[in-house]
Amino acid sequence: MECRIGPKASCPGADLRFADLANADLTGADLHDAKLSRADMRHVNLSGANLEGAGLEGADLSMAFLNGTRFSGTSLRGANLAFSRAGHAIFGKADFTAANLEKALLKGATFRGARLIHSDLLEAKFYEANLEGATMDAVRIRSAVFQNASMKDCVGCPTAWQAGETVWQTEARERKRNGEHP
């Protein structure tokens, strides 16, 4: 089966390992069960796409647009999603082992039953995200935001994430310590 890269592409089960898909517009594409390990998907637009059951091991999705994308049961082991925009994306039972989600915007995204093991969540924004039944272990979580996130039955989720200093209080303290002016 030929896979024509473009909006609403129909490529279920396609073998796109190591493919150069940087800057591609795959809005609404059907890539369920596709093999995309090590694919270069920087700046790709996958808004509304179906990647359920896909293999994205080691794929570079940095700065990608993933709003409303379906990733249920997808392997994102070692994938780079840094600076991606994944509002209302569905990551149910997805595997994020050793994945990088640094500064990703994940507002309203669903992570039900997802595995976040040794993942980098530095400054990720989980506003109104659903982390019910997810598992977090050995994650790098500094300055991540979980405002209004649902964490029922989440193993290892930060239960006291609202306690302590806010990000801006920490930054002000660091500026003062370094002799910088506000």
Side-chain angles (χ1 to χ4, degrees), residues 167-182:
V167 173
W168 52 89
Q169 288 170 326
T170 302
E171 289 174 350
R173 182 175 40 79
E174 289 298 313
R175 281 195 300 274
K176 184 177 178 182
R177 185 176 65 100
N178 294 328
E180 298 173 22
H181 298 285

Side-chain angles (χ1 to χ4, degrees), residues 117-135:
I117 312 296
H118 294 284
S119 303
D120 186 348
L121 308 180
L122 183 69
E123 295 186 44
K125 310 295 186 266
F126 289 90
Y127 299 111
E128 301 167 4
N130 184 339
L131 291 144
E132 291 180 16
T135 300

Side-chain angles (χ1 to χ4, degrees), residues 92-110:
K93 297 188 178 176
D95 186 352
F96 289 94
T97 300
N100 180 7
L101 286 101
E102 182 177 348
K103 295 186 181 179
L105 182 57
L106 306 159
K107 183 176 188 214
T110 300

Side-chain angles (χ1 to χ4, degrees), residues 74-97:
T74 298
S75 176
L76 292 149
R77 295 174 68 92
N80 182 7
L81 287 89
F83 298 94
S84 63
R85 301 292 178 251
H88 302 282
I90 301 169
F91 296 104
K93 297 188 178 176
D95 186 352
F96 289 94
T97 300

Side-chain angles (χ1 to χ4, degrees), residues 26-111:
L26 287 163
T27 306
D30 181 3
L31 293 162
H32 78 272
D33 296 325
K35 295 171 185 75
L36 291 152
S37 10
R38 296 291 205 195
D40 182 356
M41 301 174 79
R42 292 171 293 151
H43 302 273
V44 70
N45 187 348
L46 285 164
S47 297
N50 178 2
L51 280 98
E52 293 178 347
L56 288 148
E57 299 86 357
D60 188 350
L61 290 144
S62 57
M63 295 181 263
F65 295 95
L66 310 171
N67 295 319
T69 304
R70 297 187 315 270
F71 290 97
S72 292
T74 298
S75 176
L76 292 149
R77 295 174 68 92
N80 182 7
L81 287 89
F83 298 94
S84 63
R85 301 292 178 251
H88 302 282
I90 301 169
F91 296 104
K93 297 188 178 176
D95 186 352
F96 289 94
T97 300
N100 180 7
L101 286 101
E102 182 177 348
K103 295 186 181 179
L105 182 57
L106 306 159
K107 183 176 188 214
T110 300
F111 292 86

